[in-house]
Amino acid sequence: MGNSNGTVWLPEGASTVASEIDWLFYFVTWTSLAIMLLVVGGLIYLAYTYRRRSADDAPQPIKESKLLEISWVVIPTILVLLVFTWGFQGYLKLTVAPPNAYEIQATAFSWGWSFDYPNGASSNNLHVPVDRPVKVNMSSEDVLHSLFIPAFRVKQDVLPDRYSSVWFEATREGEYHLFCSEYCGTQHAEMIATVHVHSQTDFNEWLADAAMDEDIPLPELGERLFGQQGCQQCHSIDGTSGIGPTMQGLYMNDRLLQSGETVTADENYLRQMIIEPTAQVVEGYPAGVMPSYARLSEREINALVAYIKELE
Ligand code: CUA
């Protein structure tokens, strides 16, 4: 999953906090290893050097050393304070989500996840935009669970009777594992989801698709898309003229084009205007202003056409 640039020690890192947390981990690991080698090495060396060689080999009295005593108090104290400060800063950063974070509601249950988005979309996997802070507000339907995304270096308990939250900012598009990391019963090990990190454009597209009820009638879907896709910013539905022509009464109306031709705004005209807006620009409006909506799905285009047909 994702790009596998993990190491023997750690999985790949794909969030803004990952490298900082990894550095702290490596610092603690290597410092501990160095101290352990120093202590164990010194122990072996001294045991060997000052071993008892003969029956009358009496041990020498030990001389005190101020320098040694001070250094073995001061150096570890500095190291401990360094790790504490470093760790506490990281803790604060992880605890307080940026105020502009995009919020997603997560519900944990035995044994799965449900993620709910501001526009009504819902998914069993977590979808997030890349390079944007995301705050996940979490609660549990039943017992204690825990949300763990190793690649983002975040883990937080999910409680049945109160909210908890995590935030992260993904730095690379891709797919990452999401685990439950609190033992929660028989299927605990199966309580896995996938984090999909999208570009902002792909995320918006996914979000719009996910919010679509499959059974919703086409004109209703079209109305929703008309708002979601920002059509209404340029095209009114009440006859007033905006940056673009109004949609009211457009269907089967005769359109005078900039080319001097006149065409009838039938279904195919509407369709072409959505996919290729610069093809047949109406007289009196600026050309090349409207972006193509060719990225919409077939059903979404059908829905928009169905909606516009109804605007009499
Ligand atoms: Cu949910 Cu373990």
Side-chain angles (χ1 to χ4, degrees), residues 22-52:
D22 293 0
W23 274 110
L24 181 54
F25 171 82
Y26 286 127
F27 178 79
V28 171
T29 306
W30 292 117
T31 311
S32 307
L33 190 69
I35 292 173
M36 189 198 79
L37 289 177
L38 205 68
V39 170
V40 174
L43 191 76
I44 293 169
Y45 169 78
L46 292 171
Y48 179 77
T49 309
Y50 297 102
R51 68 190 182 281
R52 192 169 184 180

Side-chain angles (χ1 to χ4, degrees), residues 286-309:
V289 171
M290 179 172 158
S292 166
Y293 286 81
R295 62 187 163 77
L296 295 179
S297 72
E298 186 63 25
R299 181 160 197 267
E300 288 170 327
I301 292 169
N302 294 343
L304 277 172
V305 170
Y307 172 58
I308 293 168
K309 279 167 72 175

Side-chain angles (χ1 to χ4, degrees), residues 35-72:
I35 292 173
M36 189 198 79
L37 289 177
L38 205 68
V39 170
V40 174
L43 191 76
I44 293 169
Y45 169 78
L46 292 171
Y48 179 77
T49 309
Y50 297 102
R51 68 190 182 281
R52 192 169 184 180
R53 290 187 169 86
S54 60
D56 55 347
D57 190 7
Q60 300 297 306
I62 296 164
K63 275 181 264 161
E64 74 164 54
S65 164
K66 276 259 154 51
L67 183 70
L68 258 180
E69 283 177 26
I70 289 171
S71 50
W72 75 50

